[in-house]
């Protein structure tokens, strides 16, 4: 079997120990990830790498090492998720430097990078359209990138405020009975949005803007009757809106405003899946000018690689259950 293995030697230049460490990762975690994903063996001595395995996989691994080394010139820290995203793009025969699979959103605290075809498509849609839907599995960056676009729009004075909205799907405890003011009541539901804002703007700045109502956090029910001008509005967990709620939300949008609705139609918490406003709207408005839909897939998941496997396993299970129902109708 060893006679079938192909080996190549790759020497990276220019020599830079900080960039080399950035490429390899702590305890060579990045190299191990590349080995596992591409099915190759990598041996390293300084800036020289020996890569063994299937001929095509070896070529891909060498290109990966070389391209990621070039990337270390642009970024101070190359994180594991960047390696994961690059390998996702490689699997789709994309290149890291390709403009179609690499796009930055610039904020005062730094740049947020959109990776992969769907993430870049999503960002471009948000920039070009007033109403945008991001639909797909958990961990694909739908909400995070929407918040990044909102922060960029606020910091460049394209809007005067950010409004973050979530439907409150209660589980045995009524919102009105919870202690505190409205911000404290909805805080647990909006925590993922807070976390993204804190990362991009800093806790102190975010809290100041919330006090001034420049950033507003609302449960969906409090949107009724409002008309929102000059705002960037994000409706998160849109799959848990009813048809009536989604219609109400979409008709609140005023002049010089932009709205992004995110959701995962595989995680609907409503009693009846057919009541989901996100599913209904994607059918009703799919061909409406000025409205865009970005459909994320399992391969767009940017969290821990196991998240992608979990999503895939659930999808396969649901497909199997559907086949059983079709084959054995009652």
């Amino acid at each position: 079997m060893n006679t079938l293995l192909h080996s190549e030697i790759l020497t990276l230049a220019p020599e830079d120990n900080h960039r080399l460490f950035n490429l390899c990762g702590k305890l060579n975690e990045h190299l191990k990830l590349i080995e596992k994903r591409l099915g190759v063996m990598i041996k390293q001595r300084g800036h020289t790498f020996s890569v063994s395995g299937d001929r095509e996989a070896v070529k891909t691994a060498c290109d990966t090492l070389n391209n990621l080394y070039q990337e270390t010139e642009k970024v101070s820290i190359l994180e594991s998720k960047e390696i994961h995203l690059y390998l996702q793009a490689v699997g789709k025969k994309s290149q890291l430097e390709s403009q179609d699979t690499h796009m930055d959103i610039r904020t005062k605290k730094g740049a947020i990078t959109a990776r992969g075809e769907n993430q870049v498509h999503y960002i471009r849609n948000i920039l070009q359209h007033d109403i945008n839907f991001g639909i797909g599995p958990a961990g694909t960056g739908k909400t995070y990138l929407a918040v990044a676009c909102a922060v960029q729009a606020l910091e460049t004075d394209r809007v005067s405020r950010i409004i973050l909205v979530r439907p409150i799907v209660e589980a045995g405890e009524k919102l009105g009975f919870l202690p505190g003011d409205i911000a404290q009541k909805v805080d647990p539901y909006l925590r993922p949005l807070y976390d993204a804002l804190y990362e991009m703007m800093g806790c102190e700045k975010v809290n100041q803007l919330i006090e001034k109502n420049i950033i507003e956090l609302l449960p969906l029910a409090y949107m009724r009757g409002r008309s929102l001008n000059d705002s960037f509005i994000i409706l998160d967990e849109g799959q848990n809106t009813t048809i009536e709620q989604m219609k109400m939300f979409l008709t609140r949008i005023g002049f010089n405003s932009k709205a992004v609705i995110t959701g995962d139609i595989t995680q609907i918490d409503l009693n009846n899946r057919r009541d989901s406003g996100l599913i209904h709207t994607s059918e009703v408005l799919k061909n409406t000018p000025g409205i865009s839909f970005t459909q994320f897939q399992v391969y767009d998941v940017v969290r821990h690689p196991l998240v992608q496997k979990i999503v895939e396993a659930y999808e396969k299970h649901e497909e199997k259950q559907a086949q059983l129902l079709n084959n054995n109708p009652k």
Side-chain angles (χ1 to χ4, degrees):
M1 182 175 288
N2 290 337
T3 58
L4 299 176
L5 290 179
H6 176 71
S7 297
E8 284 190 23
I9 303 296
L10 172 70
T11 301
L12 299 174
E15 292 191 4
D16 184 315
N17 288 334
H18 174 73
R19 287 175 61 185
L20 181 66
F21 175 78
N22 212 359
L23 170 67
C24 297
K26 188 177 180 180
L27 301 177
N28 286 336
E29 62 179 344
H30 296 166
L31 296 184
K32 292 174 183 176
L33 179 57
I34 294 169
E35 284 182 318
K36 183 177 180 181
R37 292 287 292 275
L38 298 180
V40 297
M41 180 182 295
I42 301 174
K43 294 182 179 179
Q44 177 223 351
R45 177 171 291 182
H47 287 72
T48 299
F49 294 79
S50 172
V51 185
S52 303
D54 175 79
R55 182 179 295 272
E56 190 63 32
V58 167
K59 181 181 183 305
T60 301
C62 288
D63 288 343
T64 296
L65 291 169
N66 189 53
N67 288 335
L68 289 173
Y69 190 68
Q70 301 311 312
E71 185 72 2
T72 60
E73 187 177 14
K74 307 172 190 175
V75 297
S76 57
I77 299 176
L78 192 64
E79 299 181 3
S80 294
K81 67 178 182 180
E82 299 295 334
I83 310 297
H84 174 68
L85 285 168
Y86 179 84
L87 293 170
Q88 298 274 46
V90 166
K92 298 171 64 183
K93 300 188 182 297
S94 301
Q95 294 298 323
L96 184 63
E97 295 84 4
S98 169
Q99 190 168 353
D100 288 334
T101 57
H102 185 186
M103 186 176 187
D104 288 340
I105 307 161
R106 305 215 168 260
T107 68
K108 289 181 180 178
K109 286 184 73 71
I112 291 91
T113 301
R115 300 277 193 199
E117 184 179 351
N118 279 332
Q119 284 199 355
V120 172
H121 180 66
Y122 182 51
I123 296 302
R124 288 181 177 160
N125 277 342
I126 291 174
L127 295 177
Q128 294 171 10
H129 298 90
D130 290 335
I131 298 178
N132 303 271
F133 290 82
I135 303 172
T140 51
K142 305 181 299 296
T143 301
Y144 187 81
L145 293 175
V147 172
C149 288
V151 170
Q152 183 188 57
L154 182 67
E155 291 181 343
T156 55
D157 296 322
R158 283 183 287 176
V159 297
S160 61
R161 57 182 172 164
I162 296 172
I163 298 175
L164 306 174
V165 185
R166 258 195 173 193
I168 306 301
V169 179
E170 296 164 349
E173 190 168 26
K174 295 297 182 182
L175 182 65
F177 297 156
L178 296 176
D181 59 22
I182 187 61
Q184 292 170 322
K185 289 178 180 181
V186 302
D187 180 270
Y189 298 93
L190 295 167
R191 180 52 54 183
L193 300 172
Y194 272 116
D195 291 343
L197 284 172
Y198 287 155
E199 182 178 331
M200 296 172 201
M201 304 181 79
C203 296
E204 186 176 345
K205 180 67 173 177
V206 170
N207 291 332
Q208 288 174 354
L209 294 176
I210 290 175
E211 287 181 7
K212 296 176 181 178
N213 282 331
I214 293 174
I215 295 178
E216 197 170 353
L217 304 108
L218 293 172
L220 181 59
Y222 282 67
M223 292 285 290
R224 188 173 297 280
R226 300 189 63 176
S227 181
L228 302 173
N229 299 318
D230 200 30
S231 304
F232 197 115
I233 313 153
I234 299 173
L235 171 59
D236 195 29
E237 299 289 341
Q239 76 275 6
N240 287 327
T241 62
T242 64
I243 294 171
E244 293 77 12
Q245 285 176 327
M246 182 64 78
K247 181 181 177 183
M248 179 272 290
F249 172 80
L250 293 173
T251 54
R252 299 305 94 201
I253 297 163
F255 294 104
N256 191 41
S257 286
K258 193 178 290 286
V260 180
I261 300 93
T262 69
D264 177 2
I265 59 174
T266 69
Q267 297 193 35
I268 296 172
D269 297 320
L270 301 173
N271 292 331
N272 189 340
R273 177 183 173 84
R274 292 186 176 183
D275 290 337
S276 173
L278 185 59
I279 292 178
H280 181 262
T281 299
S282 63
E283 297 169 354
V284 173
L285 299 179
K286 62 182 177 181
N287 295 317
T288 304
I291 299 178
S292 76
F293 288 84
T294 304
Q295 180 65 58
F296 290 91
Q297 306 296 336
V298 175
Y299 54 70
D300 294 309
V301 171
V302 295
R303 293 179 185 167
H304 192 288
L306 272 177
V307 174
Q308 181 176 338
K309 294 180 180 178
I310 290 167
V311 174
E312 287 175 340
Y314 271 95
E315 286 189 351
K316 288 178 181 177
H317 177 74
E318 289 171 2
E319 288 173 3
K320 186 182 293 185
Q321 292 297 108
Q323 288 176 356
L324 288 173
L325 287 174
N326 291 334
N327 293 334
N328 299 290
K330 290 185 180 180

